[in-house]
Amino acid sequence: MTEAVNSKSNAAADLVRARSHLLDGGLPGNPRLDAESLRQAMVDLFEFWLTSKAAELGITADSGLAVLAVGGLGRQEMLPYSDLDLVLLHDDIDPARVAEVADQLWYPLWDAHIKLDHSVRTVPQALQVAADDLIAALGMLESRHIVGAEDLSNLLIGGVRREWRSGIRTRFDELIAQAEARWERSGEIAHRAEPDLKNGRGGLRDMQLLDALALAQLTDAMPGLGPDVPGGGLPQARRRLLDVRTELHRVARRSRDQLRAQDADEIGAALRIGDRFDLARTLSDSARTVSYSVDVGLRTAANALPRRGLARLRRMPVRRPLDEGVVEHAGEVVLARDARPRRDPGLILRVAAASAQTGLPMSATTLNRLSEDAPEFREPWPKDALNDLLVLLGAGRGAIDAIEALDRTGLWGRLFPEWGVVRDLPPRDVLHTWTVDRHLVETVAYAGALSTRVARPDLLVLGALLHDIGKGRAGDHSIVGADLATHIGQRLGLWPSDVRTLSAVVRHHLLLSDIATRRDLSDPDTVQHVVDALGGEPQLLELLHTLAEADSLATGPGVWGDWKAALIGELVRRCRLVMAGDELPTPEPIASELIAKAAAGGVYVDLKPGESKHTYTVTVIAPDSPGLLSDAAGVLALHSLRVLSAALGVEGASAVDTFVVAPIFGDPPDAGLLRQELIRATTGHLDVAAVLAERERAAGGVGAGRYARAQPRVLWSGTSVPGQVILELRVGDRIGLLSRLAAALAGCGADVRWAKVVTMGSAVVDSFCLDLGADDTSVRRDAIEKAILAVVPRVEPKTS
């Protein structure tokens, strides 16, 4: 008995000394092992100890006993303080003999303070555990024979993998749910200050998930990634994650999965990566590569699941056209059969734009084919390519996944070589949630939702994409970025004036936030400084105002709020007043012949052909009253006349309104019919609002303009006349919108002195001069704005 105790004690002491030697030093002449060598040395140490101990205990090839390694030792990725997962297999031999062997195998490890996860099973018992417990099954998929009866080990390993392949269809949903729950608990490695390297999204557990899918023959080991992807691809990502976790164990001197900020500099130095920012960049690149591969792997696996029963009889998915050379197939965006990537460089952006707009992922096979075959764009880019880029950037949240997929497969860097410097670049302050490149794409998504605020949404989304492109380089990133934006704008084929504006947006993207939060806005010199910096250009001011909000929203929670919005808004208002080029809407002069008709009184309606083939000009003269504009616009809408623009004015006691309209179908009605309907509406015999509402319901709501992509925007500005203000509305179109707006204004008691209405595609920009008199207060304006927003299209709700 004493000899057995001493034997166990000596074995434990030998193991402790050997492990300490590896962790504290290394081999003679090499005082410190690098991370990869340390892992291999740990594998060799434990395998040597186990085989030696097994020989001592009689665990031989014909003993009916075998030792299997699971987990890190099974994968040959043994970290310094990871648990040792072992299975002692036996072939229905004497239970007393099995217990004796198990005790003599486990106790020395416990005495050495090695964390041990152990089990003793027959092959059928182990197979049953794998069938009942998904986590156990995933572990056994990685099991490896160490010593003893190899045929016994092979029986288990082969059986587990065979059952895994045949049963994956019934376990796939549980596998996905388990992964998603883990991601919810641990977050994304790429965008966390203290990431969980093992369980976080993009971590080592996800690598094991990919291995399990590959063993089920549902995907390959490197889904969606070719050999030339940024960062070296999946094998390099795995090695880097393992290296960082290995050094984390060595620094903490215990098992640890979460990288703490105070350890990052030491780990970065040990791996010769650099400081904590360099380490964060390395982890972000690796984790995003793994995350993308997992997305592709899960999608590929889901499509490859064997179909059973009636599902086998279902027809193959049809190919639905999305764009030239681009189709949807089996829930993915793929190339059409006749697409020729070698002759069509624009395919890259058409595929990405289709993905962003539809929310469908791009096929990994398609991306790999484009990476291999698609040629470089000539410079400047073709106009169609620029348009496709703008469609991609304007797709809102859908652009994020599309750009991420392009970037992880090397295609985004081909389009924008400057991107490499900001890719995975970590932020330098705690306010930023994202890496610099992801922040740029997040800003694009927010800018797309705010596009109705500006007259040039194309320059807004391009400015959002490039505003921090100068980071990671020497010098002020705004100045460096402005130069880069000039080169990029020229490469994209923008007009010279637009290139200058884009460069100025990047150069001054921080100007409004910095001045508004740090300077006295009541000081005229403060406002003049901003006006001078912007060259007195109202369009540039408008772009910067919107970009400031999108940039703040994309930075992180709490960066944009009412206080900051109010400060920047007040600065912009004062700058508009100072700028000599500020283009405020003004009323059109009334023609002399119309003045004469207005003087005669009564109701007059005239309809004449317009300047283009399918447009007409409708002139309405009638006694001025609060509801006249609503009734006139409503009558036009009821007769399927879409208002393209309108100029409204007052001459004496009569309103003189001119509408440019386009029939939705057919020819316009007779002017006499319009006059009769207008008289019915003004005398209360025709309820315009009720009929319009019924028309919209019949049109189906969404198709009738019920929803919009971007938030409606209301702008207020003053005039030189006391009590008069200008309300400008930018919003998506809707059946009878002008009639509804006019009714809302009349309901608020706002007297419309004149108006200018412009329809551009599916968006409208309406300007109303309101006479509020002495009641021009913030409370009154808020009430009017609330009434206006109640009748405009709502933002399209998110769908799950």
Side-chain angles (χ1 to χ4, degrees):
M1 182 69 179
T2 304
E3 291 180 0
V5 172
N6 290 337
S7 175
K8 288 191 289 184
S9 177
N10 291 336
D14 291 343
L15 188 57
V16 169
R17 281 194 298 271
R19 189 173 71 164
S20 298
H21 178 70
L22 291 176
L23 294 177
D24 296 336
L27 301 175
N30 183 16
R32 189 181 193 278
L33 294 175
D34 61 61
E36 187 172 10
S37 299
L38 177 59
R39 290 194 300 276
Q40 187 57 54
M42 296 292 292
V43 170
D44 294 341
L45 169 64
F46 283 108
E47 285 192 11
F48 176 77
W49 188 90
L50 287 169
T51 53
S52 300
K53 192 65 178 175
E56 177 186 322
L57 298 176
I59 304 177
T60 60
D62 57 356
S63 64
L65 296 166
V67 176
L68 273 76
V70 185
L73 186 58
R75 295 188 301 272
Q76 300 191 72
E77 296 173 350
M78 195 66 192
L79 274 67
Y81 293 95
S82 287
D83 293 358
L84 189 61
D85 293 342
L86 298 175
V87 178
L88 177 61
L89 277 181
H90 64 94
D91 190 13
D92 280 331
I93 63 177
D94 182 8
R97 165 67 176 155
V98 174
E100 179 185 4
V101 171
D103 285 346
Q104 294 185 58
L105 190 61
W106 308 147
Y107 272 101
L109 297 172
W110 288 327
D111 291 341
H113 303 290
I114 304 294
K115 290 185 178 179
L116 179 64
D117 188 352
H118 62 90
S119 61
V120 180
R121 306 192 192 280
T122 63
V123 171
Q125 288 172 344
L127 289 174
Q128 187 61 50
V129 170
D132 295 339
D133 187 335
L134 181 62
I135 294 178
L138 291 171
M140 289 188 197
L141 287 174
E142 302 171 327
S143 58
R144 185 169 59 90
H145 174 75
I146 299 297
V147 68
E150 189 169 1
D151 58 337
L152 203 59
S153 298
N154 291 339
L155 194 61
L156 174 60
I157 295 171
V160 168
R161 294 184 178 184
R162 188 165 50 252
E163 291 296 324
W164 177 254
R165 284 191 294 271
S166 62
I168 187 62
R169 185 177 180 275
T170 59
R171 310 189 78 168
F172 187 74
D173 290 343
E174 183 185 359
L175 186 68
I176 300 300
Q178 184 188 88
E180 290 176 344
R182 173 168 52 80
W183 295 335
E184 182 68 24
R185 291 192 307 269
S186 304
E188 292 187 69
I189 291 176
H191 305 294
R192 286 182 84 96
E194 295 189 335
D196 185 330
L197 303 175
K198 181 179 180 181
N199 299 298
R201 196 176 195 334
L204 294 168
R205 283 281 190 221
D206 286 346
M207 295 295 305
Q208 296 162 28
L209 174 60
L210 286 175
D211 291 341
L213 293 175
L215 286 172
Q217 298 178 348
L218 298 180
T219 184
D220 57 34
M222 291 192 298
L225 293 173
D228 299 324
V229 299
L234 209 55
Q236 177 77 341
R238 183 176 198 146
R239 188 182 68 79
R240 285 175 171 172
L241 289 167
L242 282 169
D243 286 351
V244 175
R245 189 163 174 242
T246 300
E247 292 299 335
L248 177 60
H249 277 214
R250 185 145 53 179
V251 167
R253 301 196 72 82
R254 63 184 180 87
S255 179
R256 179 172 286 165
D257 300 324
Q258 188 170 23
L259 175 63
R260 299 182 305 179
Q262 60 263 38
D263 297 329
D265 282 323
E266 184 177 351
I267 292 172
L271 294 174
R272 298 184 179 180
I273 291 174
D275 62 12
R276 65 184 185 276
F277 296 106
D278 299 314
L279 179 62
R281 187 171 195 176
T282 297
L283 285 176
S284 174
D285 173 67
S286 300
R288 289 165 75 174
T289 297
V290 174
S291 291
Y292 173 73
S293 298
V294 167
D295 288 341
V296 173
L298 291 176
R299 197 164 64 242
T300 304
N303 290 333
L305 284 174
R307 294 187 293 177
R308 294 181 178 177
L310 294 177
R312 291 182 175 180
L313 305 178
R314 292 176 186 166
R315 297 179 59 187
M316 293 297 293
V318 297
R319 300 170 73 87
R320 180 170 66 93
L322 298 176
D323 203 337
E324 183 181 353
V326 185
V327 299
E328 173 196 349
H329 178 69
E332 293 183 323
V333 177
V334 303
L335 296 181
R337 292 189 178 96
D338 59 352
R340 298 292 181 268
R342 293 182 185 275
R343 302 178 183 178
D344 189 358
L347 264 176
I348 296 174
L349 286 170
R350 291 207 300 280
V351 167
S355 173
Q357 285 192 303
T358 61
L360 298 171
M362 291 173 279
S363 162
T365 302
T366 291
L367 290 174
N368 285 339
R369 185 179 172 192
L370 290 171
S371 180
E372 293 172 359
D373 296 343
E376 302 285 345
F377 278 123
R378 68 175 188 269
E379 296 184 13
W381 284 14
K383 186 176 180 180
D384 288 345
L386 175 59
N387 289 339
D388 289 330
L389 174 65
L390 294 175
V391 171
L392 168 61
L393 299 180
R397 307 300 299 179
I400 296 174
D401 289 340
I403 293 176
E404 180 75 3
L406 291 180
D407 192 35
R408 290 300 116 185
T409 51
L411 290 168
W412 190 250
R414 182 185 301 182
L415 299 174
F416 295 96
E418 300 84 357
W419 201 259
V421 178
V422 298
R423 181 184 294 113
D424 298 301
L425 187 66
R428 292 281 173 167
D429 60 72
V430 296
L431 292 178
H432 280 267
T433 301
W434 310 104
T435 56
V436 173
D437 60 329
R438 177 62 183 271
H439 166 73
L440 291 175
V441 181
E442 287 280 335
T443 307
V444 168
Y446 282 110
L450 303 175
S451 58
T452 49
R453 296 189 179 189
V454 299
R456 292 296 303 273
D458 54 340
L459 294 180
L460 174 64
V461 293
L462 286 173
L465 181 69
L466 302 177
H467 73 278
D468 279 343
I469 197 68
K471 287 189 173 181
R473 296 171 169 86
D476 186 327
H477 81 277
S478 297
I479 298 174
V480 175
D483 291 337
L484 292 173
T486 297
H487 297 306
I488 293 172
Q490 292 169 346
R491 188 167 72 239
L492 297 181
L494 299 180
W495 286 104
S497 59
D498 289 344
V499 171
R500 289 192 294 271
T501 301
L502 178 61
S503 179
V505 167
V506 176
R507 172 66 183 88
H508 299 296
H509 72 274
L510 295 176
L511 179 66
L512 297 183
S513 294
D514 288 346
I515 296 297
T517 57
R518 299 176 184 176
R519 299 277 293 273
D520 180 7
L521 301 186
S522 64
D523 185 353
D525 291 341
T526 298
V527 178
Q528 190 63 49
H529 169 73
V530 176
V531 172
D532 292 344
L534 304 184
E537 296 186 19
Q539 184 184 87
L540 178 57
L541 178 67
E542 181 182 63
L543 289 168
L544 291 174
H545 187 192
T546 306
L547 179 58
E549 180 171 347
D551 187 13
S552 297
L553 291 170
T555 297
V559 177
W560 182 260
D562 293 341
W563 172 77
K564 188 174 184 179
L567 289 177
I568 294 179
E570 179 62 17
L571 175 60
V572 170
R573 187 188 72 82
R574 291 172 181 264
C575 288
R576 281 201 179 106
L577 294 175
V578 172
M579 286 181 170
D582 194 16
E583 298 179 0
L584 292 177
T586 57
E588 298 287 345
I590 299 175
S592 57
E593 62 271 20
L594 297 181
I595 294 176
K597 291 183 181 297
V603 176
Y604 170 83
V605 176
D606 183 41
L607 187 149
K608 294 180 179 179
E611 295 181 357
S612 61
K613 183 178 180 180
H614 300 290
T615 62
Y616 298 84
T617 300
V618 177
T619 302
V620 175
I621 300 176
D624 192 18
S625 62
L628 177 62
L629 174 58
S630 175
D631 290 337
V635 167
L636 296 176
L638 292 179
H639 288 83
S640 300
L641 296 175
R642 186 183 184 207
V643 178
L644 302 180
S645 65
L648 314 178
V650 178
E651 181 63 30
S654 295
V656 181
D657 302 341
T658 303
F659 304 88
V660 177
V661 300
I664 296 177
F665 53 84
D667 296 324
D670 183 76
L673 175 60
L674 295 177
R675 179 176 179 273
Q676 292 175 8
E677 293 285 78
L678 179 60
I679 292 174
R680 290 182 61 212
T682 55
T683 57
H685 293 87
L686 173 63
D687 189 342
V688 173
V691 179
L692 281 175
E694 180 58 33
R695 290 279 181 90
E696 186 171 64
R697 282 193 294 271
V702 174
R706 183 181 175 189
Y707 295 109
R709 279 189 176 272
Q711 289 281 3
R713 176 67 170 164
V714 176
L715 299 174
W716 294 90
S717 55
T719 70
S720 58
V721 179
Q724 289 189 5
V725 297
I726 295 174
L727 182 154
E728 182 178 322
L729 173 68
R730 299 169 181 173
V731 72
D733 202 2
R734 179 185 186 184
I735 292 177
L737 177 62
L738 180 58
S739 175
R740 300 169 193 270
L741 293 175
L745 292 172
C748 294
D751 185 13
V752 180
R753 303 302 301 169
W754 56 265
K756 290 178 67 175
V757 177
V758 180
T759 302
M760 298 174 288
S762 61
V764 299
V765 178
D766 295 351
S767 301
F768 302 90
C769 180
L770 307 179
D771 191 348
L772 302 182
D775 195 21
D776 180 18
T777 63
S778 60
V779 174
R780 180 81 186 282
R781 291 190 183 188
D782 288 344
I784 293 173
E785 186 169 333
K786 184 177 180 180
I788 288 289
L789 295 178
V791 299
V792 302
R794 304 194 301 274
V795 175
E796 186 173 1
K798 294 182 179 179
T799 57
S800 57

